[in-house]
Amino acid sequence: MTLRVDDLRVHYRTLRGEVKAIDGVTFDVGDGEILGLAGESGCGKTTLGKSLIRMDGRMRLAGGAAELDGEELPIGDDHRMNPFRFTKVSIIPQYSMSAMNPTRRIGRMVAELLRSRGRQLDTDELGRRLDLVELPREVLQRYPIELSGGMKQRMVMVISTLLDPSLLIADEITSALDVSTQKAVARTLVEFRDRGFVRSMIFITHDISLTYQIADTIMVMYAGKLAEKAPAGVIVGEPRHPYTRLLISSLPEVGVRYTDRRLAGIPGEPPSLLDPPAGCRFRDRCPLAFDKCAEEPPVVEVEPGHHVACWKA
Amino acid sequence: MRRYFGRKLLVYGLTFLVAVTINWMIPRFMPGDPVQSMLARANVSQPAAVEAMRAHYTNLFGLDLPLWKQYGNFWAALFQGDLGTSIWLFPTPVTDVIMRAVPYTLALLIPAILLSWWAGNRFGAFAARRKWLDNTVLPIGYVLTATPYMWLAILLAWGLGIVAGVFPVSGGYSFAMRPNLSWEFVGDLALHWFLPFVSLFLVAFGGWAIGMRNMIIYELEADYSTYLSSLGAPQRLIRRYAFRNAVLPQITGLALQLGVLVAGALVTEIVFSYPGLGHLILQAIQNQDFFLLQGAFLFIVVGVLAANFIIDVVYVLVDPRTRTGMGGEAA
Amino acid sequence: MTAVPARRHEGLYFAIRNGKLLAGLVVLVPLIVLAVAGPMFVEGDPNAYVGIPASSPSAEHWFGTTMFGQDIFAQFLYGMRVTFVVGLLGGGLAAIIGMVIGFTAGYRGGLVDEVLNMLTNIVLVLPALAVLLIVNAYLGIRSVGVQALFIGLTSWPWAARAIRAQTFSLRSRDFVDLARLSGVRTWKIIVREIAPNMSSYLFMTFILLFGGSILIAASLDFIGLGPSQGVSLGLMLNNAARWSALHLGMWWWFVPPGAGITAIVGALYVTNVGLDEVFNPKLREL
């Protein structure tokens, strides 16, 4: 196992109290596995991704633990986390377009970043990786503003994976791109995995059809909890959780980008995570809800590798 | 880049045109006979001087000529460096009077501007996101930048000059001295220079420190900073990048503040009777010496335009985005 | 992204907990009250000769008297009022010009933008005080209103530039497109869609212009180009300097007016930063 996350709880500190953005999530990611993480906006998927590498000032680790390559990952301790960042865990952020310092030549920035982490820049290797993502090597002499959006995206992908991390978090990296570029980016990520640049990956997106194309396993989150996790084919082909089913059926067709922030097909809204209701969090919107749903459904492994949190599953 | 400078120079050219036109227009479109009112207001006692001045000004204004010709002549005189004759120091040409004052003003302004900019930026960047410094030093910065230049000058002159008696509070050098190249004289100059300089420096310093502090906080929140933090880069590197990026708007800010800084120097000079342009302007106003006033005005405009151009050049050298022709210039 | 509390409510919440905003207002509000109500408690002309010349602060004359026996406290109260009026009129006019030019340039773009941008840049590099010197010296400005008018006419450019940039970024947003597609007139779009979306920004711009106008007016008054009648804080400084208050050790003559200006402008600036932190979630510290 590369990554093992156990009962993770991450809260956001807000004025009205703590928002339980991740409320007890357990899962693991194997060697060479690409885990697709899907769900509506606000389900906690981005929070989950961030908390595995760097929590922002408002986030707080409320419980649980993470383990990477058999070693504890001190995700609640910003300082102790530093040695892991970039070398063991890395991220391709949502904001790739603006992730590079605008006033440094890219090559120099990369060299300075590496030096600050006590590494030397391996120019040949960097060049090979640029070739792989079809960026001319001259980009290193350029400023970020001279690159197109797609080029910046690929450059950031190369930078983030330069130290061959065990775990790469790709956070909504395709939402700003057009469909054909999305596919190219997705293919590149798979290639990175195949070539061993990254051992395993969490691919976060609200676009389940894109996830399906690259992920080995898909994990669907709802309101800060795990709803269902199964091999990609199973999630799309025979989902068990009613939420996953609605999510899949609301897709126009596989391959078409799904952008709506709130699900058009599912009436209602997710509950407030400030003070989430007891029991199943989906029950207010669930067509199958019954009395038992007032109790919280445990995550059950219904088949090997297929976990569902629903009484009806 | 050529386009960038082309536009800048066009703006400066037009600005100069506007300034000269204002200068030309105001006395002519003032109600009444400008020569008459000028002579009436000028406190000149000798009748000979009055007659000489009347002839001079009537000729100079050329009021019997058509307007366009007057305007043309005005420009022609200007290019010969002829700004008219001072009334206050009749018959010294305005250009000479101004040239005598300019070194003093520059000696105050240039060090005050450069040092306050440098120190303010360093200090502001250092204070940002360091809670203790931020909360104690920042209010001082706000008070300083809100202080009218002349008031700080008055307070310093009173406190360090009159009460403590450490510094002289009037003039560019002691009355007893004659300008010469001796250490004694230079020391005396420096002693007279110090308080006006400190006064200008402090007010400007407050502004730069606050500007930099606010700017760098934005930069530390910027995406590239977050990305570097996510990759475990040390704060040192992140702050260095943030500083470099925050300095760029501060350079633009320097250009924007030039007018205010010059104004500050003028009133500071007045407080200390420092023999620069500010002092000159005060004398011109009190003696109704409009030629001198107009000359000083044009001089200030030209100086500010030149400084603006220098700042533009520096900006291009510092911001790679302007050099690569990809835009990014602040104007 | 998760469960964001209502924005308005949140703004208020941060407003009453923001130290800078509170500190600014604690200084500013009493000064405004003083400037508005103060002169009512002072009988007669603040320039009248009412006491023994050059007397230091006492129970009778709180801030002492001038060389000529004028009551400095009375002058101070009237001067504060004038200072606020200049700030309000000058800053207000500059804000209006800046908004008109900024909105038009930013929204229209193209040639209109080019022309307005050129105009803005010209006025921007023209040193305002120097222009005001010439204008005031020749025209002999006598009233506070005219002084404020000229200050407003010269100090708008940076505001116009900033508003233009903001408008530019709002112009292509969905809600503006929607309004445009549904045939709403340009000015209505600007007033109804664009301006409200940057209202906090506009307000902060106004505050800065307000403070700037006060400082320019004080400088002009100090040089001797202020309103010749009446009283202002800058004029008080001018008189103090002219009649050698410094050398005579009459600190009570020059300390109050400068302190008044500094307090007003400083409080405005601090309030402005406080507002910035309230409006801009990124700057908040939890």
Side-chain angles (χ1 to χ4, degrees):
Chain A
M1 280 305 152
T2 304
L3 176 74
R4 197 186 290 272
V5 172
D6 183 34
D7 195 30
L8 184 68
R9 290 165 197 276
V10 176
H11 294 183
Y12 269 100
R13 286 175 290 182
T14 73
L15 301 174
R16 297 192 187 164
E18 301 230 324
V19 172
K20 300 172 184 65
I22 300 178
D23 201 10
V25 172
T26 302
F27 67 97
D28 40 45
V29 184
D31 282 348
E33 182 176 346
I34 297 182
L35 174 73
L37 187 51
E40 288 167 280
S41 288
C43 71
K45 56 188 192 303
T46 290
T47 310
L48 180 59
K50 273 191 184 173
S51 62
L52 290 175
I53 182 158
R54 181 174 176 264
M55 300 205 180
D56 69 36
R58 298 183 304 149
M59 287 158 71
R60 186 176 75 82
L61 180 66
E67 195 180 275
L68 186 67
D69 297 333
E71 203 179 345
E72 187 219 347
L73 202 55
I75 54 176
D77 185 333
D78 189 52
H79 189 68
R80 276 176 57 212
M81 202 43 208
N82 253 347
F84 291 89
R85 292 182 180 133
F86 201 16
T87 55
K88 296 275 170 78
V89 193
S90 192
I91 186 168
I92 304 175
Q94 278 177 14
Y95 48 81
S96 288
M97 299 305 124
S98 51
M100 289 180 283
N101 182 359
T103 56
R104 271 277 192 276
R105 290 183 204 278
I106 292 168
R108 186 167 168 203
M109 191 207 94
V110 173
E112 286 176 339
L113 172 63
L114 285 172
R115 205 176 317 128
S116 79
R117 298 300 314 270
R119 302 295 191 99
Q120 275 304 316
L121 176 62
D122 182 346
T123 321
D124 297 337
E125 180 61 20
L126 179 57
R128 278 195 292 280
R129 294 192 181 191
L130 289 176
D131 296 343
L132 183 68
V133 297
E134 290 168 12
L135 280 175
R137 296 191 181 194
E138 295 86 70
V139 290
L140 296 178
Q141 303 306 317
R142 304 250 194 96
Y143 291 97
I145 196 173
E146 298 174 85
L147 271 59
S148 72
M151 289 166 85
K152 279 187 234 179
Q153 171 77 265
R154 280 175 279 158
M155 191 64 229
V156 170
M157 286 166 69
V158 169
I159 295 174
S160 290
T161 54
L162 210 49
L163 299 183
D164 298 346
S166 294
L167 175 68
L168 176 71
I169 296 154
D171 185 7
E172 298 268 17
I173 60 170
T174 56
S175 36
L177 305 172
D178 60 75
V179 178
S180 62
T181 320
Q182 281 184 359
K183 287 192 174 154
V185 166
R187 271 197 305 274
T188 310
L189 286 176
V190 174
E191 176 126 28
F192 275 17
R193 188 263 320 258
D194 295 345
R195 288 175 179 256
F197 297 171
V198 299
R199 187 104 61 85
S200 60
M201 193 185 306
I202 297 180
F203 182 77
I204 302 171
T205 179
H206 53 248
D207 183 346
I208 228 174
S209 59
L210 186 67
T211 313
Y212 174 61
Q213 293 173 24
I214 73 161
D216 305 308
T217 315
I218 295 180
M219 180 161 110
V220 178
M221 284 183 70
Y222 185 79
K225 284 188 172 291
L226 190 155
E228 186 164 11
K229 176 175 180 278
V234 176
I235 285 281
V236 173
E238 39 190 313
R240 296 276 194 109
H241 197 287
Y243 175 65
T244 317
R245 283 187 211 162
L246 287 166
L247 210 58
I248 302 293
S249 67
S250 68
L251 291 175
E253 60 188 277
V254 171
V256 174
R257 193 171 160 220
Y258 164 69
T259 52
D260 209 349
R261 295 194 111 228
R262 222 180 302 145
L263 288 173
I266 311 178
E269 282 181 37
S272 158
L273 295 181
L274 201 55
D275 189 17
C280 176
R281 293 184 177 176
F282 189 57
R283 75 168 186 275
D284 288 347
R285 298 165 82 185
C286 182
L288 308 176
F290 67 123
D291 299 347
K292 184 95 171 158
C293 296
E295 262 175 69
E296 185 172 328
V299 178
V300 179
E301 186 160 14
V302 289
E303 276 170 41
H306 191 167
H307 305 258
V308 187
C310 178
W311 294 114
K312 290 262 178 163
Chain B
M1 195 161 90
R2 175 174 264 168
R3 195 175 126 80
Y4 170 81
F5 278 117
R7 285 181 72 94
K8 290 283 183 187
L9 287 175
L10 178 64
V11 168
Y12 299 153
L14 285 173
T15 308
F16 184 65
L17 186 81
V18 169
V20 171
T21 308
I22 291 177
N23 224 356
W24 172 81
M25 215 163 64
I26 284 186
R28 279 171 182 76
F29 292 90
M30 219 175 42
D33 175 3
V35 177
Q36 190 52 46
S37 62
M38 196 180 278
L39 290 177
R41 278 187 280 178
N43 316 317
V44 184
S45 42
Q46 314 102 295
V50 174
E51 267 322 299
M53 281 159 78
R54 180 190 300 283
H56 178 81
Y57 290 134
T58 312
N59 180 29
L60 202 119
F61 277 113
L63 290 173
D64 44 344
L65 296 172
L67 274 181
W68 65 267
K69 222 167 196 169
Q70 290 182 31
Y71 189 60
N73 289 346
F74 190 80
W75 273 100
L78 195 66
F79 279 119
Q80 288 157 16
D82 179 7
L83 294 169
T85 307
S86 167
I87 298 174
W88 171 48
L89 295 174
F90 191 81
T92 321
V94 164
T95 319
D96 291 0
V97 179
I98 289 175
M99 278 306 177
R100 254 180 268 157
V102 163
Y104 287 97
T105 300
L106 290 183
L108 273 188
L109 259 179
I110 293 176
I113 290 177
L114 294 181
L115 286 176
S116 68
W117 192 84
W118 179 81
N121 280 333
R122 285 274 153 209
F123 196 77
F126 188 73
R129 284 285 147 91
R130 288 189 163 92
K131 227 175 172 72
W132 185 81
L133 265 181
D134 213 25
N135 287 338
T136 49
V137 180
L138 216 70
I140 299 174
Y142 275 106
V143 171
L144 282 179
T145 189
T147 308
Y149 281 94
M150 59 273 184
W151 190 56
L152 188 65
I154 291 176
L155 290 184
L156 286 176
W158 182 58
L160 292 176
I162 290 169
V163 176
V166 185
F167 291 99
V169 295
S170 173
Y173 49 87
S174 301
F175 285 118
M177 287 212 173
R178 292 178 145 265
N180 59 67
L181 260 178
S182 67
W183 283 113
E184 201 190 352
F185 181 71
V186 172
D188 192 56
L189 269 183
L191 208 60
H192 281 78
W193 168 87
F194 187 73
L195 278 187
F197 161 77
V198 167
S199 157
L200 266 175
F201 172 85
L202 282 177
V203 178
F205 172 83
W208 297 128
I210 286 162
M212 181 45 124
R213 180 259 178 194
N214 292 344
M215 212 70 83
I216 212 160
I217 283 182
Y218 275 101
E219 294 294 335
L220 289 174
E221 293 290 340
D223 286 340
Y224 68 87
S225 299
T226 311
Y227 182 56
L228 285 174
S229 304
S230 296
L231 297 185
Q235 275 298 306
R236 211 166 2 95
L237 181 72
I238 298 171
R239 274 191 173 261
R240 203 170 85 212
Y241 281 3
F243 180 77
R244 171 134 178 139
N245 291 335
V247 153
L248 297 175
Q250 288 288 83
I251 295 177
T252 315
L254 183 58
L256 293 180
Q257 283 294 308
L258 275 177
V260 175
L261 286 161
V262 170
L266 298 185
V267 294
T268 304
E269 286 177 8
I270 291 175
V271 170
F272 289 99
S273 305
Y274 201 72
L277 280 176
H279 182 63
L280 217 59
I281 285 172
L282 184 72
Q283 296 301 331
I285 290 167
Q286 284 175 357
N287 293 296
Q288 300 283 339
D289 187 346
F290 288 100
F291 279 90
L292 186 52
L293 192 61
Q294 291 189 311
F297 166 74
L298 272 190
F299 224 89
I300 291 172
V301 170
V302 171
V304 168
L305 292 182
N308 260 293
F309 186 71
I310 293 171
I311 292 173
D312 289 337
V313 173
V314 171
Y315 196 93
V316 169
L317 293 179
V318 180
D319 189 349
R321 288 166 294 183
T322 48
R323 256 175 299 156
T324 52
M326 298 293 291
E329 71 246 41
Chain C
M1 63 187 282
T2 312
V4 179
R7 243 188 80 73
R8 200 166 295 261
H9 175 85
E10 199 180 41
L12 191 66
Y13 181 96
F14 278 105
I16 56 178
R17 275 165 188 76
N18 186 290
K20 297 193 185 78
L21 181 61
L22 288 183
L25 290 178
V26 161
V27 176
L28 209 51
V29 170
L31 289 178
I32 293 175
V33 171
L34 211 60
V36 172
M40 293 176 206
F41 299 101
V42 181
E43 285 157 34
D45 180 6
N47 285 333
Y49 309 111
V50 291
I52 304 156
S55 54
S56 53
S58 63
E60 203 179 339
H61 302 289
W62 291 359
F63 286 3
T65 61
T66 68
M67 276 281 282
F68 314 102
Q70 294 150 313
D71 185 78
I72 292 177
F73 187 62
Q75 290 193 335
F76 180 72
L77 291 180
Y78 276 94
M80 291 274 279
R81 179 184 274 189
V82 170
T83 296
F84 274 110
V85 168
V86 167
L88 197 65
L89 293 182
L93 180 64
I96 290 171
I97 300 176
M99 271 157 63
V100 169
I101 292 191
F103 281 141
T104 314
Y107 187 79
R108 283 289 177 79
L111 190 66
V112 178
D113 182 31
E114 286 284 321
V115 172
L116 289 178
N117 212 358
M118 192 62 82
L119 176 70
T120 307
N121 283 330
I122 288 173
V123 184
L124 193 66
V125 288
L126 213 51
L129 190 91
V131 176
L132 291 171
L133 278 178
I134 289 289
V135 172
N136 286 20
Y138 268 106
L139 299 184
I141 302 303
R142 292 287 169 265
S143 80
V144 175
V146 180
Q147 185 185 42
L149 174 77
F150 280 104
I151 291 174
L153 285 177
T154 48
S155 53
W156 54 268
W158 71 263
R161 196 193 246 191
I163 292 169
R164 170 185 173 271
Q166 292 273 320
T167 310
F168 213 73
S169 69
L170 281 175
R171 186 171 68 162
S172 49
R173 297 276 181 84
D174 294 349
F175 58 89
V176 178
D177 279 343
L178 194 68
R180 193 165 30 215
L181 286 175
S182 47
V184 182
R185 298 248 307 277
T186 303
W187 274 108
K188 261 193 178 159
I189 294 178
I190 289 174
V191 173
R192 290 226 194 116
E193 309 289 342
I194 293 183
N197 269 291
M198 46 193 279
S199 54
S200 59
Y201 190 82
L202 294 177
F203 185 64
M204 291 193 292
T205 306
F206 169 66
I207 288 183
L208 292 180
L209 288 169
F210 193 114
S213 297
I214 290 176
L215 287 179
I216 296 179
S219 295
L220 282 173
D221 294 355
F222 180 72
I223 296 176
L225 292 173
S228 54
Q229 273 103 45
V231 59
S232 77
L233 296 181
L235 218 52
M236 288 169 74
L237 280 176
N238 172 311
N239 282 324
R242 193 140 50 119
W243 302 105
S244 305
L246 212 55
H247 297 274
L248 300 172
M250 292 168 64
W251 53 268
W252 57 88
W253 198 355
F254 57 78
V255 169
I261 297 171
T262 307
I264 294 173
V265 178
L268 282 171
Y269 287 173
V270 172
T271 307
N272 186 58
V273 187
L275 283 175
D276 199 14
E277 290 179 359
V278 169
F279 292 136
N280 187 342
K282 275 194 167 180
L283 299 179
R284 291 173 188 156
E285 282 168 25
L286 270 172

